[in-house]
Amino acid sequence: LGRVYEMAYASPGTDTSTDLDTDEKNQMLELGQLASLTASGSGDKSKDKLGQKALRRLAQNREAARKSRLRKKAYVEQLENSRLKLAQLEQELQRAHQQGIFIPTPGDQPHSNSENGALAFDVDYARWQEDHNKQINELRAALNAHVSDDDLRCIIDSIMAHYCEAFRLKGVAAKADAFHVLSGLWKTPVERCFLWLGGFRPSELLKLLASHLEPLTEQQLASICNLQRSSQQAEEDLSQGVKALQQSVAETLASGSLCPAGSSGNAADCSGQMAVAIRKLSTLENFLQEADNLRLQTLQQMQRVLTTRQSARALLAISDYFSRLRALSSLWIARPRE
């Protein structure tokens, strides 16, 4: 009890404890008063009773102080975890911007017609994708339920019409900003890795579908092989055209006399070359349109070769493939990093 008394009434100048907070010190002062009452109480029994009460009170306050410290520790850890999560989120947002994923904020405002067109396309395509997923789910359920070919054909025709709408939206977007469509900024990072002129390669898609369409008749197999070869040839022609366009633009920018002395070499100082380059780049829209026409024609010709149920399986396989690409992209972004 003397020790309790000394701790309670110790001079602030001699208190070296750094773990006790204000509440704990107040509790110790209260215990010191209890100890003082014990020392001044009359009779041994009274002293013993008061001493026992003081010890019990001391034990209770020690336990309360321990719990208080644990709560403080847990609170500090929670704050630290929140800080780390916030820092991680900021890093994810930064990586997303670097990878070209558009993340609008309330303050974002487009500054040009091309940005307006690109933003409108991103919104329209997201809505298109949502509707497409609903149609694919309907097709999958119908195929599993073994509905009639007529009912199945109605769903297939609806999906094909929806694909036409996607290509129409891309055509409008290409007029506003061809490079937005070409770069695939409206797609996930992994999808962009497999893009060809703003979309899928028809010939590669036909290869992927081969295992999902069996059994095929000899005539069907020959038709699909011919379709694949013609698609591949058309892809090579378009790729060569884009390559020639790139070379032509590069030669235009590199040709001509040097900009006048004292100029910065920017577009204003070489306006003639820039005007020619812009006219050449405007043909990029035509290449994107031709590529989408090839994609649509390949899908339509594939429908003519296949039976109704084969066509349904083909559309499901195409949708599942692109869904897996999107899922892979999400897993890639969220992968653990050392």
Side-chain angles (χ1 to χ4, degrees):
L1 291 177
R3 175 59 179 163
V4 173
Y5 185 87
E6 291 173 1
M7 292 176 63
Y9 286 92
S11 169
T14 61
D15 184 8
T16 60
S17 173
T18 59
D19 296 330
L20 297 178
D21 59 11
T22 303
D23 291 339
E24 294 176 67
K25 291 180 180 179
N26 290 337
Q27 292 168 359
M28 295 306 296
L29 288 173
E30 184 178 353
L31 289 176
Q33 293 175 354
L34 290 173
S36 177
L37 291 174
T38 301
S40 60
S42 60
D44 293 337
K45 292 183 178 181
S46 297
K47 290 181 180 181
D48 289 341
K49 290 181 179 180
L50 289 174
Q52 291 174 1
K53 289 182 179 179
L55 290 174
R56 284 197 299 270
R57 185 64 178 274
L58 177 60
Q60 291 172 356
N61 281 277
R62 283 178 176 171
E63 180 63 18
R66 186 184 70 81
K67 291 180 179 180
S68 177
R69 285 193 295 272
L70 291 175
R71 286 195 298 270
K72 289 178 184 178
K73 183 179 179 182
Y75 179 68
V76 170
E77 289 178 350
Q78 183 180 3
L79 289 177
E80 180 65 16
N81 290 336
S82 298
R83 185 188 68 81
L84 293 175
K85 289 180 180 179
L86 179 59
Q88 183 179 5
L89 179 59
E90 290 175 347
Q91 292 175 359
E92 291 292 341
L93 289 174
Q94 184 178 5
R95 277 194 294 269
H97 283 299
Q98 291 172 350
Q99 292 169 343
I101 300 176
F102 178 74
I103 304 177
T105 61
D108 287 341
Q109 295 292 335
H111 300 292
S112 66
N113 290 333
S114 64
E115 289 181 0
N116 278 320
L119 178 57
F121 172 70
D122 290 346
V123 174
D124 288 339
Y125 182 78
R127 188 181 298 113
W128 180 92
Q129 185 66 61
E130 184 178 351
D131 292 339
H132 178 71
N133 291 338
K134 293 178 181 177
Q135 289 181 326
I136 289 298
N137 290 337
E138 182 184 2
L139 177 63
R140 197 186 309 275
L143 195 60
N144 292 335
H146 303 288
V147 301
S148 67
D149 284 359
D150 290 340
D151 292 338
L152 204 57
R153 175 53 63 182
C154 290
I155 301 175
I156 292 173
D157 290 343
S158 177
I159 292 175
M160 291 300 298
H162 201 53
Y163 270 117
C164 291
E165 175 63 14
F167 294 132
R168 187 193 69 80
L169 292 174
K170 287 177 65 181
V172 174
K175 290 181 181 296
D177 186 355
F179 289 101
H180 183 75
V181 177
L182 180 66
S183 62
L185 292 180
W186 39 282
K187 292 279 192 179
T188 61
V190 174
E191 285 180 293
R192 291 201 296 271
C193 181
F194 292 89
L195 281 186
W196 170 76
L197 291 182
F200 60 86
R201 283 183 177 271
S203 62
E204 293 296 329
L205 198 63
L206 290 173
K207 289 181 182 179
L208 295 173
L209 291 176
S211 61
H212 296 278
L213 301 180
E214 296 177 351
L216 293 171
T217 65
E218 292 185 2
Q219 184 177 359
Q220 285 179 321
L221 186 59
S223 298
I224 290 178
C225 288
N226 290 333
L227 180 58
Q228 183 178 340
R229 282 195 296 268
S230 62
S231 297
Q232 190 170 6
Q233 182 60 53
E235 291 167 12
E236 292 177 358
D237 293 342
L238 286 172
S239 295
Q240 288 297 322
V242 173
K243 185 177 180 180
L245 173 62
Q246 293 172 332
Q247 183 65 28
S248 178
V249 172
E251 291 174 353
T252 298
L253 296 179
S255 65
S257 59
L258 295 177
C259 293
S263 65
S264 60
N266 58 23
D269 300 321
C270 307
S271 56
Q273 288 172 293
M274 292 301 170
V276 174
I278 288 175
R279 284 196 300 270
K280 292 181 177 181
L281 283 177
S282 64
T283 61
L284 183 60
E285 176 190 335
N286 297 331
F287 285 105
L288 294 175
Q289 186 63 53
E290 288 297 323
D292 275 349
N293 288 340
L294 177 61
R295 282 183 271 266
L296 180 58
Q297 290 171 9
T298 301
L299 289 174
Q300 291 172 340
Q301 291 177 22
M302 182 184 69
Q303 296 294 320
R304 299 188 186 102
V305 171
L306 302 177
T307 66
T308 299
R309 297 194 176 275
Q310 286 173 335
S311 296
R313 294 206 306 270
L315 290 175
L316 290 180
I318 293 171
S319 178
D320 289 347
Y321 172 71
F322 288 116
S323 294
R324 287 163 188 159
L325 281 181
R326 290 191 294 273
L328 179 59
S329 187
S330 298
L331 293 173
W332 170 258
I333 294 174
R335 73 190 186 282
R337 296 174 178 83
E338 296 181 357

